[in-house]
Amino acid sequence: MTVQMSQPANVIASDNRADIASKTVKTTCCYCGVGCGVEATVEDNRVTAVKGDELHPANLGRLCVKGSSLHETQSNPNRLLQPMLHGEATDWETALNYSADKFKAIVEQYGPESVAFYLSGQLLTEDYYVANKLMKGFVGTANIDTNSRLCMASAVVAHKRAFGGDVVPGNYEDLENTDLVLLVGSNTAYAHPIIYQRIVKAKAARPNMKVVVIDPRRTATCDIADYHLAIRPGSDAFLFNGLLGYLADNNALDSEFISNHSEGFDEALSVAKAQVASVEQAAVMCDVAKNDLTAVYELFAKTTKAVTVFSQGINQSSSGVDKGNAIINCHLATGKIGKLGAAPFSITGQPNAMGGREVGGLANQLAAHMSFDNQHDIDRVASFWQAPNMAQGEGLKAVDMFQAVHDGKIKAIWIMATNPVVTMPDANFIREALEKCELVLVSDCIANTDTGKLADVVFPATTWSEKNGTVTNSERRISLQKGFLPAPGQAKHDWQIISEFAQKLGFEQAFNYTHPVEIFREHAALSGVDNGADVGANTRPVRGFDISGMQNISKQAYENLQPIQWPVNSHNPNGTARLFEDAKFFTASGRAKFLPISARFPQMPPKDNQVIMNTGRIRDQWHTMTRTGSAAKLLGHIDEPFIDIHPADAKRFGLAHKDIAVLENRGARYLGRVNVSDNQRASEVFVPMHWNDNFASSSRADALVNAITDPLCGQPEFKHSPVKINPYNAQWNGFIASELPVTPNADYWVKIPVDKGYKYRIADTVTPSNWSEWLTEQFPLVSDWVELTDSSQAFYRKVGFIEGRLAVVLNIARGNEQPIENRWLEQQLGERCDLNQRFAVLAGVAGEGVEDEGPIVCSCFQVGAKAIQTAIEGGCCSAEALGEKLKCGSNCGSCIPELNGMIRAFSPQHAAKQA
Ligand code: SF4
């Protein structure tokens, strides 16, 4: 397969060509659901620097390390620049004709239920809208789901059940104006760093503000916690049922709110108390100390202003909807909603998970928060779209959708901006399903993703800085992701690709968009159709999502859109910061609903020889690393898949710190470096979700996750997979540093981009018979080699040169010991080496006066652990002091929890206290 890498002549016109000349452009970060505003510096059609937009209400000038590195992930060596058909480069006309003809033939032969779209929270709202309109209104099926199913489908249903609509009541300012923040199932410090930084700042300004972390793991987020409840995995709803009973028993209810603005309280309380009768019982169910639990219950009871932030630890569960409602019940019972500093607050993982919910990107939703449960809604959307084939019922949710692909019922699937072969539960099954599928279309900005490799057709899509459109963050704030660079190669915007495809299916008129503002206006107009807000001043909107106030937005206003929170309508033309201030909800009665919750533990308990595998994010990577994995800076902090394990379990399973261990479930395996840590509970391990087959030989964690879902919302149980764990029994460990990429001939390998090439950490259970041949076969272009070994073969080293410049380094150690690495060696790649330098690189040690920095702690300023430890031992005993001396922690602040941990470990004062 050939992939075009250079800038071609036929560049598609950007929507904002005028801005190319600008020095700085305001846009929005494309990673997480915080939705930070970014100011990008543009020179010569390149983003040369980024900084936080001080005027953007989501981040007020801050960016985390991922956002701060946006410009460093722009020139990705794997950028996809032209359409591919069966692995060969082709032109758009051929790719679209092939795809549309085949898709159409399948629909004609097998009906609309035989095709599906699988979308992504990375898409912009306009892309999402067009895809949803095409499938639900014109192809005639609701088989269109999104990877947001994997991240917040539980919260959607919980909101709908309690509030009558999928609305997040509060906003980020509530986090700063509250007296109590409960962070439940959320490693906010890593997954939503700027929200975390806002809480840190608020707590520093008002030390009486309390923070409670409820999470089985002790994470970086606990750095600011007054209480950490390390609960039994999956016991959250027991905890909140216990809290509801405690509130009732301790005169902490808001009777006025319960009587006048809610319904269902008595039944909810009775079910909660029948299950969790006392604090003692709650403590047993949750496996936490009764005193700690009582203290947290007391805090919630006596604090008028409390925000409960919940995220994937709640949502990614077979009972995630109930967990969400158990939390909301406690807020309703105490009237902690619709007020400054008081709200239940589901924070979304992806940059536009919320936008996807607005347009109906989920298979069980219609556009603009309308529902398949209501025939009027179906007819209203059909009429608005003038849809010839309006879907009449819900489609298949993600897990069921891929099951139908595997079963052959779905014969064509189009996957946009996501990588389900890495992220779906039972990911090897997803791979099998796609291998069998008659027509697989993939749109992506990156070539050869694990999913793209299985596609019949791959469409090159534009990405951040090239595409224009809106995203909605966790607090309902719509911001513009601005397209200010020309699309590279033949890449097109997703809405363009879908529209051209739709036209080839015969729907020219409904998909003749020429600019995303036209789509946005249509989306805004639909949100206002038969939505009460415009009927009269006192009319309560029927649906919370209403941006009809922007349906006539001009192109210029759209391209300069200021962040705004929905609803935006004639009554709230400047948006709505907080919902339910009037205690009126979107239910038929206008009252909030308590839900009776029978809490359940995860469906599949571990067997004796198993541990529970939990999955999640690390600080510096985003999703499947397709973009962030290309930036060496973002791999300085954690560069290898790992397994966090409690010391007792490490002993039980014969594992030492830094060994490789193997996790197994249903034939799938995950290899990772052991990290022994008492931050883990016993019998539970934590692994990162990010690594894919382009970056590691066997570390797709989600291949081990069972496809068990919440029956109400279809969200998979990513946080609880019973797996076997065993030592890997490596015969040898080592690393290759190379200027050029290679797939190492080893059972275990991890690819780590470094400044001047790549580093591969490698290991195997079998030793090659001839190390020299083993290496040279993998680097046929290198002929100038120097090697070093000992008679007992305890180690082997070999370095290779091309025209006198260092091209390859191999360093092998026998057994589980890893050879010592240092950054100096990586930095010699490509350097001309005289005889002395050849010996130095062969020895793998820096010359005199060159110190190795150790692993990177502060990614922003590339400050290593050794320098930090030295500074702490020299008297820098606060994060501020370290920041002044080394700059670490002084930009995004993401490393401050780790700095504080190092201060606790190495400061002379701490050592004296311990003594
Ligand atoms: S917190 Fe970081 S990743 Fe998330 S939007 Fe802000 S800068 Fe981007």
Side-chain angles (χ1 to χ4, degrees):
M1 180 167 78
T2 42
V3 178
Q4 189 179 341
M5 295 296 180
S6 57
Q7 188 81 6
N10 58 337
V11 166
I12 292 168
S14 163
D15 304 301
N16 284 288
R17 299 295 297 223
D19 289 332
I20 292 171
S22 308
K23 275 289 179 198
T24 59
V25 181
K26 290 200 178 209
T27 182
T28 311
C29 177
C30 60
Y31 292 123
C32 84
V34 181
C36 296
V38 175
E39 280 185 16
T41 304
V42 185
E43 289 165 27
D44 298 331
N45 273 351
R46 278 189 326 117
V47 182
T48 53
V50 292
K51 66 179 183 114
D53 178 355
E54 289 178 7
L55 298 180
H56 197 291
N59 56 317
L60 306 167
R62 278 182 174 264
L63 292 178
C64 78
V65 63
K66 294 186 286 289
S68 304
S69 309
L70 276 163
H71 57 302
E72 295 180 40
T73 55
Q74 284 293 282
S75 49
N76 192 313
N78 293 318
R79 185 66 199 268
L80 179 67
L81 295 170
Q82 60 200 108
M84 309 294 294
L85 176 59
H86 296 137
E88 295 295 327
T90 187
D91 55 76
W92 274 107
E93 195 60 12
T94 307
L96 282 169
N97 280 340
Y98 176 87
S99 306
D101 289 350
K102 197 111 207 253
F103 193 88
K104 202 170 174 182
I106 289 171
V107 172
E108 279 168 6
Q109 189 172 354
Y110 301 102
E113 302 306 327
S114 64
V115 296
F117 282 4
Y118 185 63
L119 312 182
S120 161
Q122 309 293 306
L123 291 173
L124 306 182
T125 298
E126 292 75 1
D127 306 322
Y128 246 133
Y129 179 89
V130 175
N132 188 55
K133 177 178 173 181
L134 173 60
M135 281 300 260
K136 290 188 183 143
F138 291 74
V139 176
T141 174
N143 283 344
I144 170 167
D145 213 42
T146 157
N147 64 6
S148 297
R149 175 75 57 199
L150 315 181
C151 100
M152 45 82 246
S154 295
V156 170
V157 178
H159 290 157
K160 283 163 97 169
R161 294 203 301 180
F163 308 142
D166 175 23
V167 287
V168 172
N171 59 42
Y172 298 161
E173 282 183 3
D174 287 325
L175 292 163
E176 291 160 338
N177 287 287
T178 191
D179 295 321
L180 170 63
V181 182
L182 293 101
L183 298 162
V184 191
S186 164
N187 183 7
T188 324
Y190 279 15
H192 297 89
I194 297 303
I195 289 181
Y196 179 74
Q197 292 301 329
R198 289 181 72 154
I199 299 170
V200 170
K201 200 170 165 198
K203 188 166 166 57
R206 291 188 299 116
N208 285 337
M209 172 181 159
K210 299 285 186 239
V211 175
V212 175
V213 174
I214 300 173
D215 191 320
R217 295 193 298 145
R218 187 166 66 227
T219 63
T221 304
C222 296
D223 193 43
I224 54 163
D226 296 282
Y227 294 95
H228 169 216
L229 299 179
I231 59 172
R232 185 196 308 270
S235 63
D236 315 72
F238 292 95
L239 188 148
F240 283 93
N241 268 355
L243 175 58
L244 191 63
Y246 179 91
L247 296 168
D249 292 344
N250 289 275
N251 200 24
L253 300 174
D254 183 336
S255 306
E256 191 278 330
F257 184 92
I258 292 170
S259 303
N260 297 328
H261 305 296
S262 75
E263 56 197 20
F265 173 73
D266 290 343
E267 193 192 350
L269 179 63
S270 144
V271 170
K273 289 194 88 167
Q275 188 173 48
V276 186
S278 63
V279 182
E280 287 82 358
Q281 197 182 353
V284 170
M285 303 300 267
C286 300
D287 192 24
V288 291
K290 184 195 153 201
N291 287 350
D292 290 346
L293 189 60
T294 307
V296 170
Y297 281 4
E298 264 177 26
L299 210 49
F300 191 87
K302 75 176 188 203
T303 310
T304 310
K305 294 198 289 186
V307 178
T308 304
V309 174
F310 60 102
S311 188
Q312 316 307 20
I314 291 292
N315 294 338
Q316 292 181 331
S317 159
S318 57
S319 58
V321 178
D322 280 350
K323 287 176 181 171
N325 282 114
I327 291 170
I328 294 169
N329 279 350
C330 294
H331 276 263
L332 297 178
T334 49
K336 292 182 177 75
I337 191 164
K339 295 171 187 151
L340 180 72
F345 197 167
S346 153
I347 49 174
T348 48
Q350 298 195 73
N352 201 28
M354 185 77 88
R357 287 144 78 171
E358 292 159 9
V359 302
L362 294 161
N364 51 332
Q365 288 181 328
L366 274 172
H369 281 199
M370 284 181 263
S371 167
F372 281 112
D373 298 338
N374 182 333
Q375 189 60 44
H376 293 304
D377 281 357
I378 299 172
D379 295 342
R380 185 181 300 115
V381 176
S383 156
F384 181 85
W385 282 341
Q386 298 185 18
N389 302 308
M390 189 70 203
Q392 295 296 310
E394 294 182 3
L396 295 173
K397 302 182 185 96
V399 168
D400 295 337
M401 180 185 281
F402 283 100
Q403 179 71 52
V405 174
H406 199 276
D407 294 346
K409 291 177 187 155
I410 288 178
K411 297 176 187 302
I413 186 164
W414 188 352
I415 298 162
M416 300 180 202
T418 186
N419 203 355
V421 171
V422 183
T423 54
M424 282 289 291
D426 202 357
N428 289 345
F429 178 87
I430 305 301
R431 174 177 280 161
E432 264 178 41
L434 293 178
E435 281 167 351
K436 291 163 69 174
C437 188
E438 210 172 309
L439 179 66
V440 178
L441 311 177
V442 167
S443 302
D444 211 309
C445 59
I446 301 295
N448 289 324
T449 65
D450 290 34
T451 301
K453 285 174 194 163
L454 304 173
D456 295 288
V457 183
V458 190
F459 300 122
T462 51
T463 184
W464 182 84
S465 76
E466 300 153 7
K467 61 195 292 190
N468 225 12
T470 53
V471 288
T472 310
N473 74 358
S474 294
E475 55 169 358
R476 293 173 280 104
R477 191 180 299 280
I478 300 171
S479 300
L480 188 72
Q481 247 188 50
K482 197 151 184 164
F484 51 89
L485 294 181
Q490 295 181 38
K492 293 191 183 196
H493 310 310
D494 286 288
W495 64 265
Q496 282 180 318
I497 304 169
I498 302 160
S499 297
E500 289 178 23
F501 180 85
Q503 288 172 16
K504 291 200 180 287
L505 293 182
F507 308 121
E508 290 85 355
Q509 193 127 24
F511 294 89
N512 57 1
Y513 307 108
T514 60
H515 189 279
V517 70
E518 296 160 12
I519 305 165
F520 184 82
R521 286 186 200 127
E522 187 178 312
H523 167 53
L526 176 57
S527 75
V529 176
D530 298 339
N531 203 354
D534 284 341
V535 179
N538 295 319
T539 307
R540 180 166 50 85
V542 179
R543 305 182 299 275
F545 178 69
D546 181 2
I547 56 168
S548 55
M550 294 195 281
Q551 63 185 299
N552 297 315
I553 191 168
S554 69
K555 188 174 167 190
Q556 192 189 11
Y558 175 83
E559 289 184 343
N560 293 292
L561 186 72
Q562 298 305 302
I564 188 165
Q565 287 170 287
W566 58 260
V568 185
N569 52 32
S570 55
H571 302 296
N572 302 291
N574 298 317
T576 311
R578 190 170 297 103
L579 284 160
F580 311 137
E581 286 181 316
D582 57 359
K584 287 184 179 159
F585 295 83
F586 300 109
T587 53
S589 63
R591 289 167 175 260
K593 278 193 179 156
F594 283 91
L595 272 296
I597 302 301
S598 293
R600 306 188 300 285
F601 282 113
Q603 278 186 22
M604 199 181 273
K607 296 183 187 136
D608 281 349
N609 61 348
Q610 291 180 318
V611 291
I612 298 165
M613 185 186 79
N614 182 1
T615 60
R617 290 181 179 165
I618 61 171
R619 195 186 76 189
D620 293 359
Q621 288 299 321
W622 178 253
H623 278 196
T624 63
M625 302 170 71
T626 45
R627 286 175 293 176
T628 47
S630 67
K633 177 174 149 183
L634 295 178
L635 281 156
H637 181 232
I638 295 175
D639 60 12
E640 190 171 8
F642 60 87
I643 300 169
D644 283 346
I645 187 167
H646 188 273
D649 289 327
K651 196 168 169 201
R652 174 158 70 117
F653 293 105
L655 297 166
H657 191 60
K658 301 250 178 196
D659 279 1
I660 299 169
V662 54
L663 304 178
E664 288 173 279
N665 188 26
R666 296 182 329 275
R669 66 176 195 158
Y670 170 97
L671 300 181
R673 191 73 61 179
V674 169
N675 180 39
V676 179
S677 164
D678 59 10
N679 291 338
Q680 281 297 119
R681 286 170 52 103
S683 301
E684 296 159 25
V685 296
F686 174 82
V687 298
M689 59 166 280
H690 306 286
W691 270 268
N692 61 58
D693 284 358
N694 287 328
F695 282 88
S697 55
S698 296
S699 301
R700 283 182 300 124
D702 291 333
L704 278 65
V705 171
N706 297 309
I708 292 172
T709 59
D710 183 311
L712 297 170
C713 71
Q715 180 149 1
E717 188 147 65
F718 284 103
K719 299 293 186 190
H720 193 283
S721 304
V723 298
K724 280 190 194 161
I725 181 165
N726 285 300
Y728 176 65
N729 293 327
Q731 289 287 306
W732 54 270
N733 265 271
F735 68 84
I736 294 172
S738 162
E739 277 193 289
L740 293 171
V742 66
T743 302
N745 184 11
D747 183 46
Y748 176 84
W749 59 262
V750 176
K751 174 180 166 185
I752 305 161
V754 294
D755 289 340
K756 293 181 163 183
Y758 303 88
K759 182 167 68 180
Y760 297 89
R761 222 160 271 144
I762 48 179
D764 208 324
T765 54
V766 178
T767 304
S769 56
N770 183 319
W771 277 115
S772 181
E773 283 174 14
W774 178 87
L775 183 65
T776 51
E777 278 166 9
Q778 294 173 72
F779 293 92
L781 297 179
V782 183
S783 56
D784 179 6
W785 294 101
V786 184
E787 67 181 339
L788 179 70
T789 188
D790 70 326
S791 55
S792 66
Q793 296 193 333
F795 70 87
Y796 179 82
R797 290 176 189 169
K798 185 163 181 163
V799 291
F801 303 87
I802 297 178
E803 295 176 358
R805 294 178 198 280
L806 182 64
V808 184
V809 177
L810 171 72
N811 194 340
I812 297 293
R814 199 193 281 174
N816 271 334
E817 283 299 307
Q818 275 182 276
I820 293 169
E821 297 174 21
N822 61 55
R823 294 183 84 210
W824 170 83
L825 193 55
E826 297 154 29
Q827 285 157 1
Q828 304 316 302
L829 287 171
E831 296 295 321
R832 189 168 288 285
C833 293
D834 62 18
L835 194 59
N836 283 342
Q837 286 159 327
R838 285 184 172 218
F839 282 125
V841 291
L842 191 60
V845 288
E848 214 173 298
V850 183
E851 293 243 345
D852 186 45
E853 304 144 309
I856 296 297
V857 175
C858 170
S859 297
C860 294
F861 295 111
Q862 294 287 287
V863 186
K866 285 191 182 164
I868 296 168
Q869 182 176 340
T870 304
I872 295 169
E873 287 167 348
C876 281
C877 290
S878 69
E880 293 76 27
L882 285 169
E884 269 174 38
K885 187 169 175 71
L886 301 172
K887 293 179 85 174
C888 52
S890 62
N891 182 39
C892 75
S894 299
C895 64
I896 288 176
E898 206 164 331
L899 296 180
N900 285 334
M902 291 183 75
I903 290 166
R904 286 193 288 274
F906 300 121
S907 75
Q909 292 95 319
H910 187 77
K913 254 192 230 165
Q914 296 294 90

